[in-house]
Amino acid sequence: MNKLLMAGAAAVLVFATHPLLADDATTTAPAAAPAAAPAADADPVVATVNGTPLHRSDVVASARGLPEQYQQQIDLIFPALVERLVGLELLAQAGRDANLANDPEVQKMMKAYESQAIRQVYMTNLIHDGVTDAEIQKRYDAYVAANPPKTEIHARHILLKTKEEAVAVIAELDKGANFAELAKTKSTDPAASNGGDLGYFLPEEMVKPFADAAMALEKGKYTETPVQTEFGWHVIFLEDKRERKPPTLDEMKSELQSQVAEEIVGKKVEELRATAKIELFNPDGTPRPDTPPAPADGGAAAPATDGTTAPATTAPAQ
């Protein structure tokens, strides 16, 4: 067992029992599709507290507010998670024994949790119905069509303060000097320690004089005259040219799913606004002049001007 991980987990779990840090106070994002409930035999009781059963699913759910590294090691830290949940259940039982279930503050929080849960399930259902494989493929095809492959280049350079210094470097290269070694000793650029290697980049990612000169080179060649930019004088060596292909569908899938989900939720919010009576107030409680008028029967309300945006799928409003 990884002792370092367990030690870190123990520290996190101790602090996570506080209500403000525990998972039961954390809002989780609605998934693209609702998770199926585990079969009865796949969700065993892992502890009882004064007769109250705690299931494996309860333990897993309680870990959702922990750092990702611990969520990926559920089985490894499972005993510690069980102990944490036992502690949380004992605190809850003590609160019930103190008749806090009827406390006004508890009732207020319960109402807020209920609204949050209803909102999350509603949004999850909306997203599940709209984020289809066909829609994701359609978005991906549109992205690829709008972003054809581009030529990217892999280059090294030596940056110098004066044209005379650059001319002297080119003279050394003409005599057979190694470009990377010269870059390490002559260049004033941070990439000097790496032999002036800039890696692959698109021409538009560099200043135009530099990009134009690099693009004009043949593979394995260097500029025969210094190239001036706002940063100084460059000697450029072309390592390679290749086509930068768009990311694959699998690489973009998560981003596209989020994009579609946000649009679905945003559209639904606008539909709900169209038939809702919304009153806006200033911080001091006085009416705001930009409160939208109530919609007429069958008509749409004027668009809101309060700058409100649709709730993001990854962080629903509290």
Side-chain angles (χ1 to χ4, degrees):
M1 182 175 290
N2 189 317
K3 294 182 178 180
L4 181 60
L5 177 63
M6 287 299 292
V12 171
L13 296 178
V14 168
F15 288 104
T17 56
H18 190 284
L20 294 180
L21 299 176
D23 177 67
D24 24 337
T26 302
T27 299
T28 56
D41 58 355
D43 191 24
V45 172
V46 294
T48 62
V49 181
N50 295 325
T52 299
L54 302 179
H55 292 265
R56 185 182 190 282
S57 61
D58 298 324
V59 177
V60 173
S62 73
R64 287 179 186 152
L66 297 178
E68 184 66 25
Q69 68 185 93
Y70 298 118
Q71 295 190 48
Q72 294 176 356
Q73 300 286 339
I74 291 294
D75 290 337
L76 183 62
I77 63 173
F78 195 82
L81 291 173
V82 172
E83 291 296 333
R84 170 179 179 259
L85 188 58
V86 167
L88 292 173
E89 177 60 26
L90 285 169
L91 291 171
Q93 290 184 12
R96 291 189 183 93
D97 291 343
N99 200 32
L100 288 180
N102 297 320
D103 184 88
E105 186 64 24
V106 172
Q107 292 297 314
K108 179 180 179 181
M109 294 173 68
M110 289 296 292
K111 184 177 180 180
Y113 293 154
E114 179 185 46
S115 294
Q116 176 181 310
I118 291 172
R119 179 171 59 248
Q120 284 189 316
V121 173
Y122 183 77
M123 291 170 63
T124 297
N125 292 338
L126 281 175
I127 294 167
H128 178 248
D129 292 339
V131 183
T132 62
D133 290 340
E135 181 62 25
I136 298 304
Q137 184 67 55
K138 176 182 175 183
R139 298 294 180 104
Y140 177 73
D141 292 342
Y143 174 86
V144 171
N147 296 273
K150 296 181 178 180
T151 299
E152 62 179 359
I153 52 183
H154 178 193
R156 295 177 184 268
H157 81 134
I158 300 173
L159 178 62
L160 302 138
K161 294 181 179 180
T162 68
K163 182 177 181 180
E164 290 72 24
E165 289 176 311
V167 169
V169 164
I170 292 173
E172 291 190 58
L173 292 171
D174 290 341
K175 294 177 182 179
N178 181 273
F179 193 98
E181 292 304 316
L182 277 180
K184 291 179 181 179
T185 58
K186 303 287 188 180
S187 182
T188 61
D189 187 76
S193 61
N194 196 30
D197 193 353
L198 298 172
Y200 282 95
F201 56 87
L202 294 173
E204 56 263 35
E205 295 172 345
M206 294 292 180
V207 291
K208 193 174 188 307
F210 187 101
D212 289 346
M215 284 293 290
L217 288 171
E218 294 181 9
K219 183 177 176 180
K221 301 293 185 178
Y222 55 85
T223 50
E224 296 179 355
T225 57
V227 178
Q228 185 180 21
T229 72
E230 60 195 86
F231 303 104
W233 293 86
H234 307 259
V235 181
I236 306 168
F237 179 86
L238 183 66
E239 290 277 1
D240 190 26
K241 285 183 183 179
R242 70 182 184 186
E243 293 296 303
R244 178 183 291 186
K245 297 179 180 179
T248 65
L249 175 59
D250 284 343
E251 291 171 337
M252 288 196 66
K253 194 168 187 178
S254 178
E255 179 183 345
L256 293 172
Q257 286 174 332
S258 295
Q259 181 185 103
V260 175
E262 288 175 5
E263 290 179 10
I264 290 171
V265 174
K267 181 179 179 180
K268 174 54 67 174
V269 170
E270 290 305 312
E271 291 176 359
L272 295 172
R273 278 182 175 276
T275 56
K277 180 180 179 181
I278 302 172
E279 297 178 278
L280 305 176
F281 300 89
N282 294 311
D284 62 0
T286 57
R288 276 173 49 175
D290 56 347
T291 295
D297 291 342
T305 57
D306 63 344
T308 303
T309 58
T313 59
T314 54
Q318 295 297 314

